[in-house]
Amino acid sequence: MSYKQTNLWNVDNWKGEQPLPPEVKEAGLCIKNGETVAFPTETVYGLGANALSDAAVDKIYQAKGRPGDNPLIVHIGKKEQWNDLCSSIPSMAETLAEAFWPGPLTLVVPRSSTVSDKVTAGLSTVGVRMPDHIVARALINTAGVPVAAPSANRSGRPSPTKAEHVHYDLNGRIAGILQGGEAGYGLESTVVDCTGGQAVILRPGGVTLEQITEVLGDDLVFQKEHSEKREAPKAPGMKYRHYAPSSPLVLMEGDMHGRLIEEKKQGSKVGVMAVEENKPAYQHEADVFISLGSRHDLREIASRLYDSLRTADQSQVDMIFCETFPETEIGAAIMNRLRKAASSS
Ligand code: TXA
Ligand code: MG
């Protein structure tokens, strides 16, 4: 599907006051009419379409080049909206929605027949989330339908945290982009399966395991360490190659000096992604140094990660070395994405 022109609507300065900007109305109408529109959320930019229409949802898969077996998250503007999307709402889902919505949490619940089969990719469940972003909710409410939206990147690329990332990946392939500044968290929502006896984190994200456990209690949350299964279940999308820059990304625990010197001796051009505090240590050996922010602020590192991977991708080095981070709190999501970016499959 190609478009002569992808509309650009800028609402960066709008803080939610009435009346609704005409740009949001136009974008909402576009979704209502079965088109695809990218929009900001508090996690990353999403690519939205009417979740009740097969034809509209199909356009998302085409624009992204997304495999058809990877289901989409349905975004709602008001909590009541999920009653029509699910056949039942498990009590733990209700508790989590109460605690974390609007916010970066997707709840997987039994689906109803209203939702397009293309959204659920043949599963009997649907992932639902109410975003904590004024533009996102205004768009959904204006469209008047639940909005299916994956991250607004070409499949396999890092998720977009800025409107310009969306433009780079999808210009000419979608109807429009609602520009609303930088996404806050910078990593996607946490996806939690609520259909069994315990809540299972299928993808770590903005809401942490620690926060979920605090709300539900230890017994109601699946924890890998306490399970006989070695692998925790994953969201279908996690099996795909993702986020990877074109040059190999290598994760380095601890000091990377020795390795950098070795690569330089062999004539390689190397990039380094590390915390600002390590800049003096590595900037001389590195051909390109990309600062991820301060070691003391993992939330900042999360918010810069995808932009840094895109910068690394364009830096034309032979390989990129990246520091690792502690896997607690938001560090779990950071390391999950870095491992995907570093893996070759
Ligand atoms: O923060 C986010 O979640 C962003 C913004 C736009 O909301 N969206 C996003 O969507 O990251 P996407 O499509 O890039 O990732 C959705 C993930 C995939 O790994 C998919 O497999 C999983 O959620 N997922 C969706 N529906 C599911 C379901 N019914 N059961 C299990 N996993 C599901
Ligand atoms: Mg994605």
Side-chain angles (χ1 to χ4, degrees), residues 64 66 70 150-153 157 159 188 203 242-243:
K64 282 184 59 104
R66 183 181 176 103
N70 189 6
S151 47
N153 50 282
R157 305 252 308 141
S159 300
E188 303 87 340
R203 178 180 73 180
H242 224 142
Y243 320 119

Side-chain angles (χ1 to χ4, degrees), residues 37-307:
V37 172
F39 61 97
T41 84
E42 80 282 27
T43 57
V44 299
Y45 272 73
L47 177 61
N50 179 356
L52 310 181
S53 157
D54 286 355
V57 172
D58 216 29
K59 290 181 185 169
I60 292 180
Y61 284 92
Q62 283 180 30
K64 282 184 59 104
R66 183 181 176 103
D69 65 350
N70 189 6
L72 306 178
I73 294 169
V74 180
H75 296 67
I76 55 177
K78 300 191 175 87
K79 197 170 159 221
E80 313 81 81
Q81 224 176 345
W82 76 335
N83 294 324
D84 296 336
L85 306 171
C86 337
S87 59
S88 65
I89 297 176
S91 70
M92 81 173 79
E94 189 64 61
T95 309
L96 289 174
E98 204 52 54
F100 299 110
W101 277 2
L105 179 69
T106 296
L107 299 170
V108 173
V109 293
R111 64 168 285 189
S112 76
S113 56
T114 329
V115 188
S116 157
D117 290 338
K118 302 250 176 190
V119 166
T120 57
L123 298 178
S124 56
T125 56
V126 61
V128 186
R129 142 169 149 80
M130 176 157 70
D132 188 14
H133 196 290
I134 217 85
V135 175
R137 287 210 306 278
L139 174 73
I140 301 164
N141 292 333
T142 311
V145 289
V147 172
S151 47
N153 50 282
R154 287 291 280 271
S155 247
R157 305 252 308 141
S159 300
T161 54
K162 299 175 179 175
E164 67 210 56
H165 297 158
V166 181
H167 190 259
Y168 184 91
D169 276 13
L170 297 175
N171 186 33
R173 304 178 69 87
I174 60 178
I177 303 173
L178 198 48
Q179 302 171 317
E182 260 184 68
Y185 286 85
L187 295 181
E188 303 87 340
S189 64
T190 307
V191 179
V192 179
D193 183 351
C194 297
T195 59
Q198 286 186 312
V200 184
I201 296 187
L202 302 179
R203 178 180 73 180
V207 173
T208 65
L209 170 68
E210 290 84 347
Q211 288 174 296
I212 290 172
T213 309
E214 200 180 314
V215 169
L216 291 181
D218 268 334
D219 291 351
L220 279 183
V221 183
F222 172 88
Q223 316 230 13
K224 209 168 40 179
E225 310 79 84
H226 306 155
S227 159
E228 281 146 31
K229 296 189 195 120
R230 291 223 319 271
E231 282 276 330
K234 292 190 181 81
M238 299 304 289
K239 69 176 177 288
Y240 291 106
R241 184 179 157 87
H242 224 142
Y243 320 119
S246 40
S247 332
L249 179 79
V250 182
L251 301 186
M252 297 287 287
E253 258 175 66
D255 189 63
M256 54 176 104
H257 247 111
R259 182 72 189 273
L260 287 179
I261 290 169
E262 207 178 290
E263 293 297 337
K264 291 303 293 175
K265 263 194 212 147
Q266 309 206 350
S268 302
K269 198 175 164 197
V270 296
V272 168
M273 283 169 57
V275 293
E276 186 64 24
E277 288 87 346
N278 281 337
K279 192 170 178 182
Y282 296 139
Q283 69 179 350
H284 299 295
E285 277 85 24
D287 294 280
V288 176
F289 182 88
I290 299 167
S291 173
L292 290 169
S294 169
R295 173 202 316 287
H296 303 294
D297 190 351
L298 281 183
R299 291 268 170 193
E300 184 192 8
I301 292 171
S303 74
R304 286 207 202 176
L305 189 65
Y306 288 146
D307 190 42

